[in-house]
Amino acid sequence: QVQLVESGGGLVQPGGSLRLACAASGITYSLGVMAWYRQAPGKQREMVAGIGSGGLTSYADSVEGRFTISRDNSKNTIYLQMDSLKPEDTAVYYCAASHQRLAPSRSRASVYDYWGQGTQVTVSS
């Protein structure tokens, strides 16, 4: 089994930055595509950014150019650098991981085997 733990969430002003981290533990040797999802109150969970085992990335149109996903396979950790944050980015952010080695642009929520508990990101003045 794999456990995912997110960290780095918090309160930030519009235009500010925040960096999220997701550390995987347990049986992590076969993990493939990983991603960040978010869910705002009253809205459906949506994919924010994904990254394949080889480093290929994919981003939601709403965060393209502002967010950067990265991966450190030696530490079994992925990161989400969030810059130029907007109030619309306020949500609970979840880390997801799959054993499938797929291109992140083709990966739907159903391919992810593991999910973290979420970390709250609030963008407000």
Side-chain angles (χ1 to χ4, degrees):
Q1 291 294 326
V2 173
Q3 295 79 46
L4 303 176
V5 179
E6 303 98 333
S7 62
L11 175 65
V12 65
Q13 296 184 164
S17 298
L18 212 57
R19 192 188 194 206
L20 306 183
C22 170
S25 61
I27 306 174
T28 62
Y29 58 85
S30 63
L31 289 179
V33 65
M34 296 182 70
W36 287 98
Y37 278 71
R38 67 185 182 188
Q39 186 168 27
K43 297 183 178 180
Q44 294 191 103
R45 187 172 297 187
E46 64 174 345
M47 184 178 179
V48 177
I51 185 166
S53 59
L56 188 65
T57 61
S58 180
Y59 297 92
D61 290 342
S62 60
V63 307
E64 183 74 52
R66 298 189 297 121
F67 291 9
T68 303
I69 187 171
S70 60
R71 183 169 187 160
D72 185 341
N73 289 324
S74 68
K75 296 183 178 180
N76 297 124
T77 301
I78 63 168
Y79 305 89
L80 185 67
Q81 177 65 45
M82 304 184 292
D83 298 319
S84 301
L85 283 162
K86 304 175 180 179
E88 303 87 80
D89 296 317
T90 296
V92 176
Y93 284 70
Y94 297 90
C95 178
S98 174
H99 288 294
Q100 303 298 107
R101 284 169 164 73
L102 304 170
S105 61
R106 298 179 62 189
S107 302
R108 299 177 179 179
S110 61
V111 313
Y112 294 102
D113 304 295
Y114 310 101
W115 294 83
Q117 82 288 348
T119 185
Q120 177 71 48
V121 171
T122 302
V123 184
S124 177
S125 59

